[in-house]
Amino acid sequence: MKLKVKTLPLVMTILSGLYLIYVISSEDTTLVADAVGGDPGGKLIPSIIAVFLFLGFLYITIKERPDGKKMEKESLVLFAVTFVLALLYVLLTKTIGFVILTTIVLYTLEYLYSTIGEKRKPLSAILGGVGTLAITAIVYTLMRLLTKTLGRMARAGSLPSAFTSSTLNAVISVVFVLVFIILLYFTLHKLLKKKDLKRVGDAGLITFSTVLLLYVVFKQFFLVALAPGLLNF
């Protein structure tokens, strides 16, 4: 008997399986900590993420069955956009960089998926995306300048040597990002909400918070070699 499955979960299962193979076979996911004998191991974090993605989509593929209805046009468009963005993310991360490209991809997907069935405002969404990218890049740059300055001052003897520690710099970065998240929530986000642009504000704040916190966790706590791209300095 022919096994019937839904197309979308099946495709995502295949893609997540290919991603798992890519993680296992690629050297780009090796942690900097490996070079100095640190933990966790080279591909532990990305491998765990890839395995969870694969098992999750595989479960959905096995459990869900077609109901005879065709996929709605909006669902097809969202799937196509997600697929293209995922492909571009893999191809362009090294060139454009983790922070910039993740911001673009995450903001786009967050806005599109949070406005399913609603009337979208393309111009407002684009301006919100540009603003989110600009704010994320600026705060990222300030955060990097802060930690580098503190480290340089510590090495010069102006500050305690503890400020050369990557863990302490990571903690400082987390606090720095959290302060900006709170600041943006009570200022720009509330302003956008009053102007009936809540979806744009939500997408921007979620994207900003996620990108910078992911950067701090993976880059500064676990020493993952995230591509700096255009923000290399």
Side-chain angles (χ1 to χ4, degrees), residues 120-140:
R120 297 188 176 99
K121 301 175 180 179
L123 181 58
S124 298
I126 293 172
L127 292 176
V130 173
T132 300
L133 180 59
I135 293 173
T136 303
I138 290 171
V139 174
Y140 163 81

PDB file of all heavy atoms in Angstrom, residues 120-140:
ATOM      1  N   ARG A 120      -1.463  42.989   5.388  1.00  0.00           N
ATOM      2  CA  ARG A 120      -0.096  43.441   5.654  1.00  0.00           C
ATOM      3  C   ARG A 120       0.124  44.856   5.125  1.00  0.00           C
ATOM      4  O   ARG A 120      -0.564  45.309   4.218  1.00  0.00           O
ATOM      5  CB  ARG A 120       0.906  42.485   5.038  1.00  0.00           C
ATOM      6  CG  ARG A 120       0.859  41.073   5.621  1.00  0.00           C
ATOM      7  CD  ARG A 120       1.997  40.217   5.108  1.00  0.00           C
ATOM      8  NE  ARG A 120       2.010  38.903   5.732  1.00  0.00           N
ATOM      9  CZ  ARG A 120       1.522  37.798   5.177  1.00  0.00           C
ATOM     10  NH1 ARG A 120       0.995  37.852   3.970  1.00  0.00           N
ATOM     11  NH2 ARG A 120       1.565  36.644   5.812  1.00  0.00           N
ATOM     12  N   LYS A 121       1.114  45.526   5.713  1.00  0.00           N
ATOM     13  CA  LYS A 121       1.504  46.869   5.291  1.00  0.00           C
ATOM     14  C   LYS A 121       2.946  46.790   4.785  1.00  0.00           C
ATOM     15  O   LYS A 121       3.900  46.955   5.570  1.00  0.00           O
ATOM     16  CB  LYS A 121       1.393  47.844   6.462  1.00  0.00           C
ATOM     17  CG  LYS A 121      -0.019  47.914   7.045  1.00  0.00           C
ATOM     18  CD  LYS A 121      -0.061  48.807   8.272  1.00  0.00           C
ATOM     19  CE  LYS A 121      -1.468  48.873   8.851  1.00  0.00           C
ATOM     20  NZ  LYS A 121      -1.539  49.717  10.069  1.00  0.00           N
ATOM     21  N   PRO A 122       3.123  46.524   3.482  1.00  0.00           N
ATOM     22  CA  PRO A 122       4.465  46.278   2.923  1.00  0.00           C
ATOM     23  C   PRO A 122       5.477  47.376   3.216  1.00  0.00           C
ATOM     24  O   PRO A 122       6.609  47.085   3.627  1.00  0.00           O
ATOM     25  CB  PRO A 122       4.192  46.155   1.415  1.00  0.00           C
ATOM     26  CG  PRO A 122       2.772  45.723   1.327  1.00  0.00           C
ATOM     27  CD  PRO A 122       2.073  46.405   2.452  1.00  0.00           C
ATOM     28  N   LEU A 123       5.091  48.643   3.005  1.00  0.00           N
ATOM     29  CA  LEU A 123       6.028  49.738   3.205  1.00  0.00           C
ATOM     30  C   LEU A 123       6.463  49.823   4.668  1.00  0.00           C
ATOM     31  O   LEU A 123       7.653  49.978   4.968  1.00  0.00           O
ATOM     32  CB  LEU A 123       5.407  51.064   2.769  1.00  0.00           C
ATOM     33  CG  LEU A 123       6.306  52.304   2.914  1.00  0.00           C
ATOM     34  CD1 LEU A 123       7.593  52.128   2.112  1.00  0.00           C
ATOM     35  CD2 LEU A 123       5.554  53.564   2.476  1.00  0.00           C
ATOM     36  N   SER A 124       5.497  49.723   5.575  1.00  0.00           N
ATOM     37  CA  SER A 124       5.817  49.764   7.010  1.00  0.00           C
ATOM     38  C   SER A 124       6.704  48.583   7.396  1.00  0.00           C
ATOM     39  O   SER A 124       7.634  48.730   8.206  1.00  0.00           O
ATOM     40  CB  SER A 124       4.531  49.731   7.835  1.00  0.00           C
ATOM     41  OG  SER A 124       3.733  50.863   7.569  1.00  0.00           O
ATOM     42  N   ALA A 125       6.414  47.414   6.815  1.00  0.00           N
ATOM     43  CA  ALA A 125       7.204  46.222   7.118  1.00  0.00           C
ATOM     44  C   ALA A 125       8.647  46.384   6.644  1.00  0.00           C
ATOM     45  O   ALA A 125       9.596  46.022   7.356  1.00  0.00           O
ATOM     46  CB  ALA A 125       6.578  44.999   6.468  1.00  0.00           C
ATOM     47  N   ILE A 126       8.833  46.933   5.452  1.00  0.00           N
ATOM     48  CA  ILE A 126      10.177  47.145   4.903  1.00  0.00           C
ATOM     49  C   ILE A 126      10.949  48.156   5.746  1.00  0.00           C
ATOM     50  O   ILE A 126      12.114  47.941   6.098  1.00  0.00           O
ATOM     51  CB  ILE A 126      10.098  47.604   3.436  1.00  0.00           C
ATOM     52  CG1 ILE A 126       9.553  46.472   2.562  1.00  0.00           C
ATOM     53  CG2 ILE A 126      11.477  48.048   2.936  1.00  0.00           C
ATOM     54  CD1 ILE A 126       9.268  46.882   1.142  1.00  0.00           C
ATOM     55  N   LEU A 127      10.290  49.272   6.068  1.00  0.00           N
ATOM     56  CA  LEU A 127      10.942  50.284   6.907  1.00  0.00           C
ATOM     57  C   LEU A 127      11.281  49.720   8.288  1.00  0.00           C
ATOM     58  O   LEU A 127      12.345  50.017   8.853  1.00  0.00           O
ATOM     59  CB  LEU A 127      10.032  51.507   7.055  1.00  0.00           C
ATOM     60  CG  LEU A 127       9.807  52.334   5.782  1.00  0.00           C
ATOM     61  CD1 LEU A 127       8.808  53.453   6.041  1.00  0.00           C
ATOM     62  CD2 LEU A 127      11.133  52.914   5.275  1.00  0.00           C
ATOM     63  N   GLY A 128      10.385  48.888   8.805  1.00  0.00           N
ATOM     64  CA  GLY A 128      10.648  48.240  10.088  1.00  0.00           C
ATOM     65  C   GLY A 128      11.839  47.306  10.004  1.00  0.00           C
ATOM     66  O   GLY A 128      12.655  47.237  10.929  1.00  0.00           O
ATOM     67  N   GLY A 129      11.953  46.604   8.881  1.00  0.00           N
ATOM     68  CA  GLY A 129      13.079  45.705   8.690  1.00  0.00           C
ATOM     69  C   GLY A 129      14.399  46.459   8.600  1.00  0.00           C
ATOM     70  O   GLY A 129      15.407  46.058   9.189  1.00  0.00           O
ATOM     71  N   VAL A 130      14.384  47.547   7.841  1.00  0.00           N
ATOM     72  CA  VAL A 130      15.590  48.370   7.715  1.00  0.00           C
ATOM     73  C   VAL A 130      15.982  48.946   9.077  1.00  0.00           C
ATOM     74  O   VAL A 130      17.168  48.953   9.446  1.00  0.00           O
ATOM     75  CB  VAL A 130      15.359  49.508   6.694  1.00  0.00           C
ATOM     76  CG1 VAL A 130      16.540  50.472   6.690  1.00  0.00           C
ATOM     77  CG2 VAL A 130      15.148  48.941   5.294  1.00  0.00           C
ATOM     78  N   GLY A 131      14.987  49.425   9.815  1.00  0.00           N
ATOM     79  CA  GLY A 131      15.253  49.973  11.138  1.00  0.00           C
ATOM     80  C   GLY A 131      15.791  48.919  12.094  1.00  0.00           C
ATOM     81  O   GLY A 131      16.731  49.179  12.864  1.00  0.00           O
ATOM     82  N   THR A 132      15.206  47.728  12.056  1.00  0.00           N
ATOM     83  CA  THR A 132      15.672  46.628  12.901  1.00  0.00           C
ATOM     84  C   THR A 132      17.112  46.260  12.583  1.00  0.00           C
ATOM     85  O   THR A 132      17.936  46.057  13.483  1.00  0.00           O
ATOM     86  CB  THR A 132      14.771  45.392  12.716  1.00  0.00           C
ATOM     87  OG1 THR A 132      13.433  45.714  13.086  1.00  0.00           O
ATOM     88  CG2 THR A 132      15.261  44.225  13.562  1.00  0.00           C
ATOM     89  N   LEU A 133      17.421  46.194  11.292  1.00  0.00           N
ATOM     90  CA  LEU A 133      18.789  45.865  10.871  1.00  0.00           C
ATOM     91  C   LEU A 133      19.775  46.930  11.339  1.00  0.00           C
ATOM     92  O   LEU A 133      20.859  46.611  11.843  1.00  0.00           O
ATOM     93  CB  LEU A 133      18.840  45.724   9.347  1.00  0.00           C
ATOM     94  CG  LEU A 133      20.197  45.373   8.736  1.00  0.00           C
ATOM     95  CD1 LEU A 133      20.712  44.053   9.304  1.00  0.00           C
ATOM     96  CD2 LEU A 133      20.090  45.299   7.219  1.00  0.00           C
ATOM     97  N   ALA A 134      19.390  48.200  11.179  1.00  0.00           N
ATOM     98  CA  ALA A 134      20.275  49.297  11.578  1.00  0.00           C
ATOM     99  C   ALA A 134      20.525  49.287  13.087  1.00  0.00           C
ATOM    100  O   ALA A 134      21.667  49.404  13.546  1.00  0.00           O
ATOM    101  CB  ALA A 134      19.670  50.631  11.151  1.00  0.00           C
ATOM    102  N   ILE A 135      19.452  49.142  13.880  1.00  0.00           N
ATOM    103  CA  ILE A 135      19.593  49.153  15.338  1.00  0.00           C
ATOM    104  C   ILE A 135      20.413  47.948  15.808  1.00  0.00           C
ATOM    105  O   ILE A 135      21.292  48.079  16.676  1.00  0.00           O
ATOM    106  CB  ILE A 135      18.200  49.149  16.005  1.00  0.00           C
ATOM    107  CG1 ILE A 135      17.477  50.471  15.718  1.00  0.00           C
ATOM    108  CG2 ILE A 135      18.326  48.929  17.518  1.00  0.00           C
ATOM    109  CD1 ILE A 135      16.038  50.496  16.183  1.00  0.00           C
ATOM    110  N   THR A 136      20.136  46.778  15.228  1.00  0.00           N
ATOM    111  CA  THR A 136      20.872  45.571  15.614  1.00  0.00           C
ATOM    112  C   THR A 136      22.356  45.727  15.306  1.00  0.00           C
ATOM    113  O   THR A 136      23.217  45.383  16.129  1.00  0.00           O
ATOM    114  CB  THR A 136      20.316  44.336  14.885  1.00  0.00           C
ATOM    115  OG1 THR A 136      18.916  44.208  15.160  1.00  0.00           O
ATOM    116  CG2 THR A 136      21.024  43.069  15.340  1.00  0.00           C
ATOM    117  N   ALA A 137      22.671  46.244  14.116  1.00  0.00           N
ATOM    118  CA  ALA A 137      24.075  46.429  13.719  1.00  0.00           C
ATOM    119  C   ALA A 137      24.771  47.450  14.616  1.00  0.00           C
ATOM    120  O   ALA A 137      25.931  47.256  15.014  1.00  0.00           O
ATOM    121  CB  ALA A 137      24.149  46.860  12.258  1.00  0.00           C
ATOM    122  N   ILE A 138      24.077  48.530  14.955  1.00  0.00           N
ATOM    123  CA  ILE A 138      24.672  49.575  15.802  1.00  0.00           C
ATOM    124  C   ILE A 138      24.937  49.055  17.211  1.00  0.00           C
ATOM    125  O   ILE A 138      26.031  49.238  17.767  1.00  0.00           O
ATOM    126  CB  ILE A 138      23.751  50.813  15.851  1.00  0.00           C
ATOM    127  CG1 ILE A 138      23.739  51.520  14.488  1.00  0.00           C
ATOM    128  CG2 ILE A 138      24.207  51.781  16.950  1.00  0.00           C
ATOM    129  CD1 ILE A 138      22.698  52.620  14.379  1.00  0.00           C
ATOM    130  N   VAL A 139      23.938  48.388  17.799  1.00  0.00           N
ATOM    131  CA  VAL A 139      24.108  47.864  19.158  1.00  0.00           C
ATOM    132  C   VAL A 139      25.180  46.785  19.186  1.00  0.00           C
ATOM    133  O   VAL A 139      25.991  46.704  20.119  1.00  0.00           O
ATOM    134  CB  VAL A 139      22.770  47.330  19.701  1.00  0.00           C
ATOM    135  CG1 VAL A 139      22.974  46.649  21.062  1.00  0.00           C
ATOM    136  CG2 VAL A 139      21.763  48.471  19.839  1.00  0.00           C
ATOM    137  N   TYR A 140      25.210  45.949  18.152  1.00  0.00           N
ATOM    138  CA  TYR A 140      26.248  44.920  18.041  1.00  0.00           C
ATOM    139  C   TYR A 140      27.636  45.576  18.008  1.00  0.00           C
ATOM    140  O   TYR A 140      28.556  45.145  18.716  1.00  0.00           O
ATOM    141  CB  TYR A 140      26.031  44.094  16.781  1.00  0.00           C
ATOM    142  CG  TYR A 140      27.240  43.285  16.354  1.00  0.00           C
ATOM    143  CD1 TYR A 140      27.529  42.061  16.954  1.00  0.00           C
ATOM    144  CD2 TYR A 140      28.097  43.753  15.360  1.00  0.00           C
ATOM    145  CE1 TYR A 140      28.640  41.329  16.576  1.00  0.00           C
ATOM    146  CE2 TYR A 140      29.209  43.026  14.974  1.00  0.00           C
ATOM    147  CZ  TYR A 140      29.477  41.814  15.583  1.00  0.00           C
ATOM    148  OH  TYR A 140      30.587  41.093  15.199  1.00  0.00           O
TER     149      TYR A 140
END
